[in-house]
Each structure stands twice: as C-alpha cells, then as structure tokens.
C-alpha cells in the first residue's frame, strides 16, 4: 500500500507544527513531511510523531536569506560555508525527529561553477547524513514558480546524482514540477524510478488539490504502485479553501 503523506508546509498552516501533525493523523494520512521546521523545538515535533505514530518523511534545508529572495544555497558559488551550516542544521534536526529524508535546496544559480558547488555540497551532505541512516534528496523546480533555480529537470538531477556517486542521494520526483517542465509523466516515472527517493503530487497547473487539472492522478498512482514504489506519496499542494474542505481527493485518486 502506497498511501499519502501530508506536506505541512502547505497543509494546516494555521496550526502549530505539532498540531498539524495531529490533524494529519486524524484526517487519515499515513505520514507527514514539512519544509523548514526549525522554529519548533525538535522534542515537540518528536512527541507529536510518537503520539500519532506517523513517520516524518522529510524536511528541507533552510532557504537562506528570505528577505533577499534566496531559495537554498547548495549550488551558489562562494556560499559553501553557509550551505554546509544549513546542511548540518538539517541533519541534526532530522536525527532528533527520525526524519527519513533531507531535501537540500540548490538555490538560484547557473553555469559550471554552480554545478560543481552543488556536487561538492551534496557530497558533504551525503557523508554527514549516512551515519544517521538519512537519505539526501534533490528536487527539480519548474521555471514558472522558481525562475532561475539551478535544478529544473529530472535528467539534470540524474546526472548530478551519478556524479556524486553516493548511495544515499536520491531524486525527489514532484509530479507537479516535472509535468510542467518535461511532461510524459508515465515514462518519466519508469525512467527515473531506480533513483527516486520520494514522490510528490499536486494539480497542474494550479498546484491545488490533486483531483483537478491536466494530470489524471488515478492513472499516475496506478503507475507508481505498478513500478514497486511503496512509500507514502507526498501531498504538496495549496488548498483551494481550507485543508479539510479539499480532502475528498484522497479517496478519488487512491
């Protein structure tokens, strides 16, 4: 059974993170994930996870200086020390709450120097995470939502994963971003499944509930299961109204 993971970066944002974890459990989710949980003490998050029995599938590294519009630092040349400090922060927090994955944010950059910075920082992240049984994931973002983001397609991600050569480096395959940038969803899933560490879904192009838009997630979910992916699929969408009002999609596409 695949099931679904509630992305608490977008769902139940009016609640504290521990309260959101409990809400996800009450709604029938099989797991949770979030973006940047660092303002909440790790022991409070761990207590909510233990209480509900939900695993935390993943967290992100901090994005950097939000006021300056940063969206990660790992591929930004000259920011290696800061990028690795954010990686250290994420590894410590993930260890404390038993999170399975850390999404290392690349940031806005381009060119060969950015490519090399990303590879070197990912190598550092994989080494630091390995002893804690944590997987590092990287996620291509589409050029409408994140113009100028270094990592923007799954082929580029696959090349980087091969270059780093770490067994705990995987692809975060967000169907929303991949559909916008590359399409051909079923074949993309087949092609990249050997390196996929996590999958996320949302309607395309609205990024609303996944029972709307141009992708038939009933078919996508069948494909995911047929390819042997058994971990909960991340629901990373922006609710049209309240989170509770839109949860009908869970039975429609399961």
């Amino acid at each position: 059974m695949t099931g679904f993971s509630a992305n608490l970066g977008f769902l139940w944002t009016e609640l504290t993170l521990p309260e959101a974890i409990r809400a996800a459990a009450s709604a029938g989710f099989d797991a949770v994930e979030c973006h940047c949980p660092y303002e909440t003490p790790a022991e409070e998050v761990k207590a909510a996870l233990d209480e509900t029995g939900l695993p935390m599938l993943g967290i992100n590294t901090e994005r950097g200086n939000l006021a300056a519009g940063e969206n990660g630092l790992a591929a930004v040349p000259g920011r290696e020390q800061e990028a690795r400090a954010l990686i250290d922060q994420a590894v410590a927090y993930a260890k404390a709450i038993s999170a399975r994955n850390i999404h290392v944010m690349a940031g806005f950059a381009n060119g060969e120097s950015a490519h090399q910075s990303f590879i070197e920082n990912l190598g550092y992240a994989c080494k630091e995470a390995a002893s804690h049984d944590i997987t590092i994931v990287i996620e291509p973002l589409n050029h409408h939502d994140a113009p100028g983001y270094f990592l923007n397609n799954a082929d580029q991600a696959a090349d980087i994963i091969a270059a780093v050569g770490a067994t705990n480096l995987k692809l975060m395959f967000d169907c929303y971003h991949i559909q916008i940038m590359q399409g051909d969803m079923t074949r993309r899933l087949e092609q990249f499944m050997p390196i996929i560490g996590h999958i996320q879904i949302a309607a395309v192009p609205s990024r609303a509930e996944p029972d709307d838009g141009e992708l038939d997630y009933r078919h996508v979910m069948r494909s995911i299961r047929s390819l042997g992916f058994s971990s909960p699929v991340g629901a990373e969408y922006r609710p049209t109204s309240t989170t509770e009002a839109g949860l009908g999609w869970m039975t429609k596409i399961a």
Side-chain angles (χ1 to χ4, degrees), residues 11 201-204 206-213 215 217 235-250 253:
L11 306 183
I201 58 174
V204 182
S206 67
R207 208 175 193 179
E209 287 82 357
D211 57 348
D212 190 21
L215 270 180
Y217 277 112
E236 191 187 38
Y237 65 90
R238 299 183 187 278
T240 304
S241 57
T242 65
T243 299
E244 285 86 353
L247 291 177
W249 66 266
M250 293 178 70
I253 74 168

Side-chain angles (χ1 to χ4, degrees), residues 101-233:
N101 303 309
I102 294 171
H103 170 205
V104 173
M105 303 286 293
F108 299 118
N110 61 77
E112 181 56 35
S113 60
H115 177 81
Q116 194 59 38
S117 292
F118 199 31
I119 287 173
E120 292 174 2
N121 285 326
L122 287 173
Y124 174 84
C126 290
K127 181 180 178 181
E128 295 300 307
S131 61
H132 306 299
D133 197 28
I134 295 169
T135 298
I136 301 299
V137 294
I138 56 174
E139 178 186 16
L141 304 184
N142 78 76
H143 58 192
H144 296 295
D145 291 352
Y149 192 76
F150 175 74
L151 186 63
N152 57 54
N153 69 80
D155 296 276
Q156 179 192 11
D159 289 344
I160 289 167
I161 290 168
V164 175
T167 58
N168 64 330
L169 179 60
K170 300 290 184 181
L171 168 65
M172 181 141 77
F173 189 105
D174 188 320
C175 296
Y176 165 76
H177 291 295
I178 299 297
Q179 174 68 10
I180 290 172
M181 294 300 293
Q182 298 181 271
D184 203 9
M185 183 57 57
T186 301
R187 290 187 177 90
R188 300 287 178 201
L189 284 164
E190 292 172 351
Q191 177 184 358
F192 295 109
M193 187 56 70
I195 62 168
I196 289 176
H198 186 45
I199 298 173
Q200 295 176 326
I201 58 174
V204 182
S206 67
R207 208 175 193 179
E209 287 82 357
D211 57 348
D212 190 21
E214 67 189 46
L215 270 180
D216 180 0
Y217 277 112
R218 293 171 301 177
H219 173 78
V220 172
M221 289 301 297
R222 285 195 297 269
S223 297
I224 289 169
R225 285 190 291 267
S226 71
L227 291 166
F229 189 86
S230 59
S231 180
V233 169

